[in-house]
Amino acid sequence: MSIDLLSMALNAALRTATQSIRGKDFSRKRVLTPDTVMRLLISAEGGSLDKILHIAGIQATASALTQRRAQIPPELFRTVFTKFNSRCDDTDFFHGYRLLAVDGTAINLPRNPDAPSFVCNDSIPKGVNQLHATPLYDILSRTFADVVIQPESKKDEIGALVTMLQRNAFEEKTLIIADRGFESYGTAPGAYHGCQLQSLYLPHLQKGR
């Protein structure tokens, strides 16, 4: 898809997601509308909130952005994710199969010892804040098909994969590629109605084989 089509798909997904927000918090016209805040957070490249607002050309304070963000239910971001993906129908195939890869990664956050994401142990005595993301990635179309985000201290990559297997239909024949850390009886795709016989869980091949 072209950049213009991707932008249109994102805008449509944002409009659909934010239509459900009602009440006094969003009853008046403001600079930081729900779709503006969500688009800003999705496109942010890092740095302070003041810097992010400055680059976007939005006349608002970091405090105002933080307050507005707190008024948006987290599940709306997943709605945007799924609606956006539903409009990106340029899936490519490898010999008739959709190729998906799954792996986990840690995401560093600003330090906050009171947050659920705070991790402190012998190897990191001062502690850090981290989330653990386990995405399902479409290799050929280069898009994320799904993702599960957990606090690093409670990460469960196998459980995350099971969740994604359960909530996706897998309408096309699909190869799911993963490393040995995902090997488990519980992740056998045959156990999930969405996979049936069309999908194959394929642990990552070792070098030299």
Side-chain angles (χ1 to χ4, degrees):
M1 295 179 69
S2 67
I3 295 297
D4 288 340
L5 289 177
L6 288 173
S7 179
M8 291 174 60
L10 177 58
N11 290 336
L14 286 167
R15 286 195 300 270
T16 300
T18 56
Q19 282 176 355
S20 62
I21 298 181
R22 296 290 185 270
K24 63 180 182 180
D25 290 335
F26 296 106
S27 61
R28 292 180 296 172
K29 187 175 182 180
R30 301 171 183 251
V31 173
L32 294 174
T33 60
D35 57 324
T36 297
V37 173
M38 296 180 75
R39 184 182 294 105
L40 188 64
L41 295 175
I42 290 170
S43 61
E45 297 180 358
S48 67
L49 293 181
D50 286 326
K51 179 181 178 181
I52 292 172
L53 287 164
H54 175 73
I55 293 175
I58 297 176
Q59 299 296 319
T61 64
S63 175
L65 177 59
T66 299
Q67 292 176 9
R68 297 297 276 173
R69 167 62 185 91
Q71 295 166 351
I72 299 176
E75 56 268 22
L76 286 192
F77 287 90
R78 178 160 185 85
T79 299
V80 172
F81 179 82
T82 55
K83 294 295 183 183
F84 175 79
N85 274 354
S86 69
R87 292 174 176 268
C88 299
D89 55 359
D90 58 343
T91 300
D92 294 321
F93 296 91
F94 175 76
H95 295 286
Y97 285 85
R98 187 181 184 191
L99 297 184
L100 299 179
V102 61
D103 201 2
T105 184
I107 303 171
N108 293 323
L109 301 174
R111 181 181 171 81
N112 180 3
D114 297 325
S117 59
F118 187 70
V119 180
C120 184
N121 51 47
D122 293 340
S123 61
I124 42 175
K126 293 184 178 180
V128 296
N129 286 80
Q130 289 183 329
L131 294 176
H132 196 87
T134 306
L136 199 57
Y137 183 72
D138 191 311
I139 297 172
L140 298 180
S141 66
R142 293 179 290 183
T143 57
F144 288 96
D146 203 348
V147 64
V148 171
I149 301 176
Q150 305 160 315
E152 178 67 21
S153 60
K154 298 180 180 179
K155 70 177 181 180
D156 177 9
E157 292 185 342
I158 293 177
L161 177 56
V162 168
T163 295
M164 292 187 287
L165 289 173
Q166 290 175 332
R167 70 186 179 193
N168 285 278
F170 298 103
E171 296 176 354
E172 306 92 356
K173 293 187 295 183
T174 305
L175 297 178
I176 300 176
I177 304 169
D179 63 30
R180 288 176 293 175
F182 287 90
E183 291 184 74
S184 167
Y185 175 79
T187 57
Y192 303 99
H193 65 85
C195 294
Q196 301 178 354
L197 297 178
Q198 293 184 334
S199 299
L200 173 65
Y201 172 68
L202 182 65
H204 191 69
L205 298 179
Q206 295 183 15
K207 292 182 180 180
R209 291 190 176 184

